[in-house]
Amino acid sequence: MIKSDIIQIEDLIEKNDLVVPSYQRSYDWKLSEIEEFWNDLEMHYNDKSKRKNNQSSDGTNLFLGTIILYKANDSVYEIVDGQQRITSIFILLIALRSKLSEWIEKKIEVQGYNFSKIRDKFSEYIAYTDSSTGMFESTKLKASKKIANTIEYMCHDNWDGNFLDEYNGINTKKETKIIKPIFEFLCKQLQGIEPKKFKYFMKAILHTKIIRIEINDMEEAFALFERTNARGKDLEVSDLLKNHLFMNWNKKSNLVLEEEWDEISSNSQNQLIRMLKYFYVSQNGYITKSKLYKGFKDLSKEKNVEKLLIDIKRFSEFFDVFMNCDKQKFLEYFLNITLKKNGTYCVDELQIHKIRKSIVGINFFRVTQCYPLIYSFINAFRSLNLSEDYDRKHKVLLNFFLLLENYHFINNFICDRVGNEIEKLYANTCKKFALAKDKKSFLSTYVELFSELKKKLAGREEFTERFTQLNYLDDNTSDFMYIFDKIENTNSKKDVSDAYEFFDIKNPTLRKRYNLEHWLPQNPSQSHNNEMSFVIHNIGNLLVIPSRTNIKLGNKLPKEKFDFLSNDEFYSMPHIKEFFLKYEKNFDNWNKEVIEQRAEELAINSYNRVWNFYVPSY
């Protein structure tokens, strides 16, 4: 049964207990939302004040939209939709109580007002007190879990306005970060309310109208919430899915759905909608955002909601490991994948290090479309027990990640092509990996994928033209650190601990150990002509050297640098050694033509060898 009516906020908060159920997302209003709410409220406050002075006004009340409530019992309502607005109103009521306390303490008196009694009334809106002791008993709003403790101690009648780091033995620092800016903003705005006009502000709040939809059946409440929100913001897809899981959850399950969902959300790196879409694509192929929720509902029918939740959580763990790229967690993740039944591993630590470096590179390019593909590939590798039959010579795992990195470096990072050109190919390949029944079908899908990518790969001429235009700017140092790190370490067989490493977006300390060096200095003793100024920052004039060495070089010219550095330890670095051997004869006359020649040779070497896109045949 559904009942709807139009009521005032005062009726809602005075007569009912309001509960934000556990399946709802946390309170997440930011200052932009609360400012908009305040502006609407202030307009209606001014309107009521003007009417008192017989100025023109339409006399309307503020309208806050529709609130959906599930009637749990005679006086307790669960907020199915509208908790952001209701929670914000409660924070405002607490701020108003603080303002009233301030006036009382300052002994501000206005004819026709009893601020002590008004404050008592606001306290009744906010919380219950024990009738025999007058002490705080409970809040009238049971807020969402992630702010519940902070809202509770704010509701105490003797709260002094200070936020705690801990309440009832629970750390509340994160809650304070959410609530404190909202509360302080409202308190600041209330400074502009004149005591003698306070009743107009009270009416503006308490007479604010809502459409209350009251539902007695929880299943109907969920269904109405879906219909109300299904065409809303992307953020609501996760809410709808969460609600669907709760509605169909087996109460006898050993899993605590709320705890599992919190962990999934935490693993999503604040990209929950994207992560959920990638999970779905990894299992079922391409889908648009508009159809994502329906896809999940269909998926929950094929499996069951508990199995679906377990699968989503497993994907979220993968997502967290790959987004963070923490060395130890990455190592543990891949060792788990590649463990054989006899206790050995099908890849070594050096190969896992190289796989991680490829993911670091892909993340640096800001390419995430390949995440569902990677997960589907890993899942198939694991479920088919391919680690038991792994041929180290062919390096299936390592080559998969290297080829993805190389493709996206060439097409997206250098040639600046749009990333979604391969979205459907990746999605369709996900489904093929998911359906692979044996090693043969797995490797067939593998080869087919990279054969298709080869067709889409930018040609050497296009790559060379774009690569040779790379120029150093103050904010793109990382671009060159990545490029020279890759050049330095391609085909390197050094142990991880012995390799030269210039670039890792998760290890900013590397930037302190190495610098970009302009071989022809930026500020030589004699000024550059216009021609040389144009190429001074070109990649053909750049190297990576240890910071301590960079300091010693100052503004020496190329031949002086070579003489100075011939015995330096960094001479053993492969890309430096190769540079010296190839260009030593040019150091006396390091000019525009030589710089452009080196840039072109770097480009050709990069395309043919460093980021080589060789499609394996298995």
Side-chain angles (χ1 to χ4, degrees):
M1 178 180 175
I2 299 177
K3 182 174 74 174
S4 68
D5 55 3
I6 299 175
I7 64 169
Q8 296 180 354
I9 284 294
E10 185 175 22
D11 297 323
L12 180 70
I13 62 178
E14 187 174 33
K15 301 172 184 177
N16 305 295
D17 286 347
L18 299 168
V19 177
V20 177
S22 57
Y23 55 79
Q24 289 279 15
R25 71 174 185 265
S26 180
Y27 178 75
D28 62 4
W29 265 23
K30 303 295 188 295
L31 285 178
S32 57
E33 285 98 347
I34 206 70
E35 283 175 7
E36 185 178 345
F37 168 65
W38 175 266
N39 290 337
D40 289 342
L41 186 61
E42 189 174 42
M43 180 184 69
H44 285 78
Y45 155 64
N46 290 330
D47 176 74
K48 291 180 183 295
S49 179
K50 286 177 183 177
R51 282 200 290 147
K52 172 65 178 175
N53 296 320
N54 297 318
Q55 295 181 28
S56 61
S57 166
D58 61 9
T60 59
N61 290 314
L62 178 60
F63 176 64
L64 273 186
T66 301
I67 305 291
I68 303 175
L69 303 172
Y70 165 65
K71 190 171 185 179
N73 59 49
D74 288 341
S75 62
V76 177
Y77 287 89
E78 291 186 4
I79 306 169
V80 177
D81 192 25
Q83 67 120 337
Q84 306 289 332
R85 287 164 285 164
I86 292 174
T87 301
S88 298
I89 287 169
F90 262 83
I91 297 171
L92 175 59
L93 293 176
I94 296 169
L96 279 166
R97 188 187 63 182
S98 295
K99 188 63 182 173
L100 288 163
S101 296
E102 178 189 323
W103 288 345
I104 294 166
E105 187 177 342
K106 292 180 177 179
K107 297 183 179 179
I108 293 175
E109 295 184 2
V110 177
Q111 187 176 1
Y113 284 90
N114 187 326
F115 289 130
S116 293
K117 285 192 175 181
I118 297 173
R119 186 191 183 285
D120 291 342
K121 186 63 177 176
F122 270 86
S123 293
E124 290 177 14
Y125 292 145
I126 294 166
Y128 291 106
T129 56
D130 188 305
S131 58
S132 59
T133 64
M135 300 300 290
F136 172 85
E137 194 171 69
S138 64
T139 61
K140 294 194 76 172
L141 171 70
K142 306 299 186 293
S144 61
K145 180 182 175 182
K146 291 187 178 178
I147 61 167
N149 293 291
T150 298
I151 292 293
E152 182 177 312
Y153 73 70
M154 290 172 70
C155 285
H156 280 71
D157 196 54
N158 60 353
W159 182 56
D160 61 3
N162 291 315
F163 287 83
L164 306 177
D165 290 339
E166 185 179 293
Y167 177 70
N168 284 343
I170 298 171
N171 187 309
T172 54
K173 289 181 181 179
K174 289 183 179 179
E175 298 184 26
T176 295
K177 286 183 179 179
I178 297 169
I179 299 298
K180 187 178 180 181
I182 303 294
F183 177 78
E184 289 181 342
F185 170 82
L186 292 171
C187 287
K188 182 179 180 181
Q189 301 308 309
L190 288 172
Q191 296 299 322
I193 303 298
E194 298 179 52
K196 66 181 179 180
K197 294 184 179 180
F198 185 70
K199 65 180 178 182
Y200 304 118
F201 193 78
M202 280 185 62
K203 287 179 180 178
I205 298 168
L206 300 176
H207 293 180
T208 292
K209 291 185 177 180
I210 58 170
I211 297 175
R212 174 180 60 183
I213 298 179
E214 183 184 312
I215 301 172
N216 295 323
D217 180 80
M218 180 55 79
E219 189 169 342
E220 180 60 34
F222 279 120
L224 182 59
F225 179 75
E226 287 185 22
R227 291 195 296 273
T228 305
N229 291 283
R231 291 182 297 276
K233 298 177 182 178
D234 289 342
L235 180 64
E236 291 165 347
V237 174
S238 59
D239 301 320
L240 292 168
L241 174 59
K242 186 179 176 185
N243 291 343
H244 180 73
L245 294 173
F246 267 91
M247 184 172 68
N248 294 281
W249 193 250
N250 181 357
K251 299 300 187 290
K252 296 180 180 179
S253 171
N254 292 324
L255 297 177
V256 179
L257 193 152
E258 186 180 351
E259 292 178 1
E260 300 295 314
W261 189 264
D262 283 348
E263 189 170 342
I264 288 169
S265 298
S266 176
N267 288 339
S268 74
Q269 310 289 316
N270 296 317
Q271 300 183 62
L272 185 55
I273 296 298
R274 175 180 286 184
M275 191 197 76
L276 289 172
K277 181 184 178 183
Y278 286 171
F279 163 76
Y280 184 91
V281 170
S282 73
Q283 311 280 305
N284 298 275
Y286 183 76
I287 195 168
T288 61
K289 280 187 179 179
S290 62
K291 296 180 180 178
L292 184 58
Y293 176 58
K294 184 181 182 303
F296 270 110
K297 286 182 73 173
D298 293 341
L299 201 57
S300 70
K301 292 174 185 176
E302 295 173 19
K303 305 183 178 186
N304 60 62
V305 291
E306 184 173 326
K307 177 65 167 60
L308 177 59
L309 186 76
I310 291 170
D311 288 347
I312 294 173
K313 183 182 175 184
R314 187 176 292 127
F315 183 87
S316 78
E317 291 165 351
F318 151 84
F319 192 82
D320 181 51
V321 168
F322 275 65
M323 286 293 288
N324 279 321
C325 275
D326 176 81
K327 285 186 178 181
Q328 188 57 39
K329 287 185 177 179
F330 204 90
L331 177 63
E332 291 170 359
Y333 188 86
F334 267 88
L335 289 179
N336 180 48
I337 292 167
T338 62
L339 180 65
K340 294 187 176 184
K341 289 179 181 177
N342 63 7
T344 63
Y345 299 100
C346 71
V347 295
D348 56 32
E349 191 171 331
L350 178 59
Q351 285 195 6
I352 295 175
H353 170 74
K354 289 183 176 180
I355 290 171
R356 177 184 171 275
K357 291 281 282 189
S358 289
I359 296 301
V360 166
I362 289 169
N363 288 346
F364 180 60
F365 311 151
R366 296 182 180 176
V367 171
T368 57
Q369 296 97 325
C370 55
Y371 270 36
L373 174 69
I374 292 169
Y375 185 72
S376 185
F377 167 81
I378 288 172
N379 255 8
F381 186 89
R382 181 161 37 193
S383 63
L384 294 172
N385 295 315
L386 295 185
S387 59
E388 296 299 318
D389 191 29
Y390 190 80
D391 187 341
R392 282 178 177 270
K393 179 182 177 183
H394 291 113
K395 300 178 181 176
V396 173
L397 274 174
L398 179 60
N399 284 339
F400 177 83
F401 291 97
L402 286 175
L403 286 171
L404 284 181
E405 179 192 10
N406 293 357
Y407 175 84
H408 288 293
F409 174 77
I410 292 170
N411 271 34
N412 304 126
F413 190 73
I414 296 297
C415 295
D416 203 26
R417 294 191 177 184
V418 293
N420 61 8
E421 67 177 353
I422 40 72
E423 191 172 359
K424 287 190 177 180
L425 170 62
Y426 281 179
N428 293 334
T429 306
C430 285
K431 201 163 187 178
K432 291 178 181 179
F433 275 130
L435 295 173
K437 300 298 183 184
D438 50 34
K439 181 180 178 180
K440 182 179 179 181
S441 56
F442 173 87
L443 291 176
S444 174
T445 300
Y446 184 105
V447 172
E448 182 184 349
L449 165 68
F450 290 114
S451 297
E452 288 300 313
L453 287 178
K454 182 76 172 178
K455 296 175 186 176
K456 298 176 181 292
L457 192 72
R460 194 175 77 177
E461 286 187 10
E462 179 185 349
F463 175 86
T464 301
E465 181 183 352
R466 299 298 293 269
F467 188 95
T468 54
Q469 293 173 9
L470 292 173
N471 275 282
Y472 169 76
L473 303 169
D474 289 339
D475 61 350
N476 70 347
T477 303
S478 294
D479 295 3
F480 293 97
M481 288 298 190
Y482 165 78
I483 289 170
F484 282 109
D485 180 280
K486 186 80 172 178
I487 291 171
E488 177 75 23
N489 292 296
T490 294
N491 299 326
S492 172
K493 296 181 180 179
K494 288 186 177 182
D495 184 79
V496 176
S497 59
D498 294 331
Y500 292 105
E501 190 174 26
F502 316 143
F503 173 83
D504 190 333
I505 53 176
K506 299 300 179 181
N507 184 6
T509 59
L510 290 176
R511 288 283 297 273
K512 297 178 182 179
R513 290 161 52 189
Y514 294 97
N515 292 144
L516 276 177
E517 166 67 15
H518 290 72
W519 193 239
L520 181 68
Q522 299 181 70
N523 300 300
S525 54
Q526 55 185 6
S527 61
H528 301 307
N529 58 37
N530 290 336
E531 198 174 59
M532 290 308 297
S533 296
F534 183 74
V535 297
I536 196 77
H537 297 301
N538 185 269
I539 191 169
N541 190 47
L542 300 177
L543 300 165
V544 175
I545 65 174
S547 302
R548 63 182 182 276
T549 305
N550 180 260
I551 294 170
K552 296 175 185 176
L553 292 179
N555 286 321
K556 289 181 172 62
L557 293 172
K559 184 63 169 68
E560 296 175 295
K561 289 180 181 180
F562 174 71
D563 294 339
F564 182 82
L565 296 172
S566 293
N567 296 318
D568 195 279
E569 63 177 281
F570 94 116
Y571 183 81
S572 63
M573 295 166 66
H575 86 281
I576 299 294
K577 193 172 184 178
E578 185 176 341
F579 172 71
F580 282 178
L581 289 172
K582 184 174 287 189
Y583 296 102
E584 180 184 352
K585 62 182 182 297
N586 301 109
F587 291 162
D588 278 325
N589 187 26
W590 189 254
N591 55 30
K592 177 176 180 289
E593 288 71 25
V594 180
I595 290 173
E596 289 178 342
Q597 176 191 338
R598 179 175 179 246
E600 184 171 354
E601 288 174 354
L602 279 173
I604 294 170
N605 178 58
S606 294
Y607 192 88
N608 291 343
R609 186 175 70 88
V610 182
W611 287 274
N612 173 38
F613 199 83
Y614 168 74
V615 180
S617 57
Y618 296 113

